[in-house]
């Protein structure tokens, strides 16, 4: 359908920091808005609030302004048709006291400027400081659309004072992210190359000899690093039983690469069966990391978006919970974490990994319906926003 009108939408979130999980959220929102607006005969021109607007503009081909420069943010919103806040875990005070005021302040500014505001698949909480609760309620009750990525976030908003009929529960936007497909001539593209050889650091992501690939996404969390040590024990036990390519996938720089090397340095059985151990280079775009995950036969992850990437690519996964958002996401798949940052048994890690590697098809068969539903429902916020803008 040919676009007949144009609307500018400002998008607020944790963008430009090159956290591959949050960048994937932005990529997913942009894709969904484009698809839904084109189908509706509407053209949407996004303006992203970013800590690095030049990089964001270059990476995604959109306009961007500095998220901390008030005059630029105000002018962008003033000249727009509305504001999207999300996705990601924006309204939480676990990482600091300034996060909630910033993101609420951007939404409130848009409302002062009489612009429609939309909350896009956010994960809400924890909100430990009670002073924030009435602020969230007053701002969110004035939004035209509110969606959250799990029922726990919905329950928290209802407890704060947001009516149930205002809240739509949807999957994380990244569930809708996909790799390019083969063109009409059947040429191989990133999606269809699957386990073709590559040239990343430490060997191809698919392994030099076609070894099964176990992707591992870790981060520092427990100050004693006990969960990382237990994970290393589990991986080492697995390597003592079979030949594998353990591929570490850092989702956030700096930090995740250091956590990856911390675990790598404790693996002593890589040579037992001719196994390989490597670490992926820093991804410049979400699609580069998505392709890495698509080559895996199993994903073991602490980072939420490593698990969501795996689900979007039908890759069996084991989640290690350091935050309730991990439990919430796995719960939507009918699964539970293999352990937590406080309690991880290396024997269970090894046994569950071996089970999933030997029965990938069984895992896919038992989760196919849930995975497809999540991918389909991930488009709903974009669809609702486009419908509102067409009025």
């Amino acid at each position: 359908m040919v676009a007949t009108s144009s609307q500018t939408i400002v998008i607020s979130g944790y963008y430009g920091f090159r956290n591959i999980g949050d960048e994937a959220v932005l990529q997913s929102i942009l894709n969904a808005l484009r698809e839904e607006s084109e189908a509706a005969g509407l053209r949407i021109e996004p303006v992203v609030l970013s800590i690095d607007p030049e990089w964001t503009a270059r990476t995604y081909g959109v306009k961007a302004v500095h998220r901390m420069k008030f005059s630029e943010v105000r002018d962008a919103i003033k000249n727009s048709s509305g504001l999207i806040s999300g996705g990601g875990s924006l309204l939480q005070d676990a990482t600091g006291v300034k996060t909630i005021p910033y993101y609420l302040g951007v939404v409130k500014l848009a409302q002062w400027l009489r612009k429609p505001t939309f909350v896009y698949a956010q994960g809400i909480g924890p909100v430990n400081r009670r002073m924030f609760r009435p602020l969230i309620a007053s701002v969110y009750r004035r939004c035209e659309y509110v969606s959250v990525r799990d029922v726990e976030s919905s329950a928290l908003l209802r407890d704060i004072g947001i009516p149930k009929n205002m809240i739509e529960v949807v999957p994380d936007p990244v569930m809708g992210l996909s790799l390019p497909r083969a063109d009409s001539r059947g040429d191989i593209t990133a999606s269809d190359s699957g386990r073709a050889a590559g040239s990343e650091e430490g060997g191809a992501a698919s392994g030099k000899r076609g070894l099964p690939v176990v992707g591992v996404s870790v981060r520092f969390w427990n100050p004693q690093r006990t969960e990382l040590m237990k994970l290393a024990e589990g991986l080492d036990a697995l390597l003592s039983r079979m030949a594998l390519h353990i591929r570490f996938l850092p989702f956030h720089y700096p930090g995740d690469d250091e956590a990856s090397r911390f675990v790598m340095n404790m693996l002593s059985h890589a040579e037992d069966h001719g196994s390989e151990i490597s670490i992926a280079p820093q991804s410049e775009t979400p699609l580069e990391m998505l392709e890495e995950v698509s080559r895996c036969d199993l994903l073991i992850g602490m980072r939420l978006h490593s698990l969501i990437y795996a689900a979007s690519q039908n890759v069996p996964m084991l989640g290690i919970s350091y935050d309730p958002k991990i439990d919430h996401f796995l719960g939507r798949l009918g699964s539970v974490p293999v352990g937590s940052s406080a309690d991880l048994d290396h024997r269970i890690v090894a046994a569950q990994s071996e089970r999933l590697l030997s029965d990938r098809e069984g895992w896919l068969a038992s989760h196919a319906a849930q995975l497809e539903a999540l991918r389909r429902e991930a488009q709903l916020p974009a669809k609702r926003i486009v419908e509102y803008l067409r009025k």
Side-chain angles (χ1 to χ4, degrees):
M1 183 181 295
V2 178
T4 58
S5 61
S6 176
Q7 305 267 8
T8 299
I9 292 292
V10 176
I11 304 177
S12 169
Y14 190 74
Y15 305 133
F17 293 89
R18 308 196 191 191
N19 179 320
I20 204 67
D22 290 286
E23 298 303 332
V25 167
L26 176 57
Q27 181 75 73
S28 303
I29 292 174
L30 293 172
N31 289 356
L33 288 173
R34 183 180 64 252
E35 292 168 13
E36 295 297 331
S37 61
E38 288 177 354
L42 182 69
R43 181 182 178 187
I44 288 183
E45 297 182 358
V47 178
V48 178
L49 306 186
S50 170
I51 197 66
D52 188 346
E54 291 78 15
W55 180 83
T56 295
R58 184 172 66 252
T59 300
Y60 300 101
V62 297
K63 295 180 181 178
V65 300
H66 201 291
R67 57 180 259 144
M68 301 306 294
K69 294 183 178 178
F70 176 78
S71 61
E72 292 186 13
V73 172
R74 180 197 59 208
D75 290 346
I77 295 174
K78 183 178 180 180
N79 296 318
S80 75
S81 302
L83 172 87
I84 290 173
S85 179
S89 301
L90 304 185
L91 291 194
Q92 52 80 25
D93 56 6
T95 59
V97 71
K98 298 179 181 179
T99 303
I100 291 176
Y102 172 80
Y103 290 110
L104 280 183
V106 173
V107 178
K108 189 64 177 177
L109 174 60
Q111 293 172 348
W112 280 336
L113 293 171
R114 300 182 183 277
K115 301 298 180 178
T117 51
F118 313 96
V119 176
Y120 200 119
Q122 283 191 18
I124 310 296
V127 182
N128 297 311
R129 297 166 177 86
R130 298 200 67 83
M131 64 179 178
F132 288 142
R133 296 187 170 221
L135 297 176
I136 294 170
S138 67
V139 172
Y140 271 32
R141 279 198 292 259
R142 292 188 58 193
C143 290
E144 276 65 33
Y145 173 72
V146 176
S147 60
V148 294
R149 69 185 182 195
D150 50 59
V151 295
E152 292 79 7
S153 295
S154 175
L156 178 54
L157 285 184
R158 295 200 306 272
D159 184 58
I160 286 172
I162 309 300
K164 182 179 180 180
N165 62 4
M166 278 191 66
I167 308 166
E168 184 166 42
V169 179
V170 298
D172 188 283
V174 180
M175 274 303 305
L177 193 61
S178 60
L179 289 167
R181 302 296 175 185
D183 63 22
S184 59
R185 298 168 299 173
D187 291 343
I188 299 288
T189 64
S191 176
D192 297 292
S193 61
R195 304 180 197 290
S199 57
E200 293 83 3
E201 177 184 351
S206 53
K208 294 177 182 176
R209 296 175 297 281
L211 297 173
V213 180
V214 177
V216 180
S217 167
V218 291
R219 61 166 299 166
F220 288 132
W221 186 256
N222 188 325
Q224 291 74 39
R225 302 182 181 179
T226 52
E227 78 275 46
L228 298 184
M229 289 186 280
K230 289 295 184 181
L231 175 59
E233 283 189 68
L235 292 174
D236 216 30
L238 192 62
L239 288 168
S240 71
R241 302 173 194 173
M242 62 177 68
L244 297 169
H245 181 181
I246 307 294
R247 180 73 162 172
F248 287 85
L249 307 174
F251 269 67
H252 190 215
Y253 280 80
D256 287 10
D257 56 327
E258 296 175 18
S260 296
R261 295 183 192 280
F262 178 83
V263 177
M264 289 172 68
N265 289 336
M266 289 185 284
L267 302 180
S268 61
H269 286 284
E271 303 301 323
D272 288 5
H273 303 284
S275 295
E276 298 177 33
I277 300 173
S278 66
I279 183 169
Q282 182 171 5
S283 297
E284 287 297 316
T285 69
L287 291 180
E288 289 179 9
M289 182 60 82
L290 189 67
E291 186 170 5
E292 284 275 356
V293 173
S294 75
R295 297 183 181 126
C296 295
D297 296 279
L298 170 67
L299 190 289
I300 302 174
M302 288 181 70
R303 288 286 184 187
L304 172 64
H305 280 104
S306 71
L307 302 174
I308 297 173
Y309 272 41
S312 75
Q313 298 301 302
N314 294 326
V315 174
M317 72 195 73
L318 294 175
I320 300 171
S321 178
Y322 72 95
D323 185 282
K325 63 188 180 183
I326 304 294
D327 306 70
H328 299 165
F329 174 70
L330 292 173
R332 297 199 71 172
L333 290 176
S335 300
V336 295
V338 71
S340 71
S341 57
D343 183 20
L344 186 64
D345 189 324
H346 70 279
R347 294 164 297 185
I348 296 176
V349 171
Q352 291 296 320
S353 298
E354 192 170 11
R355 178 182 64 84
L356 290 177
L357 286 167
S358 65
D359 189 26
R360 174 182 176 133
E361 294 306 316
W363 185 90
L364 290 174
S366 62
H367 292 86
Q370 295 155 314
L371 292 168
E372 181 53 37
L374 290 176
R375 278 190 285 266
R376 184 174 60 252
E377 294 166 11
Q379 291 285 114
L380 286 175
K383 186 178 183 67
R384 305 282 192 245
I385 292 168
V386 168
E387 288 173 349
Y388 179 92
L389 294 175
R390 286 192 67 199
K391 292 178 181 178

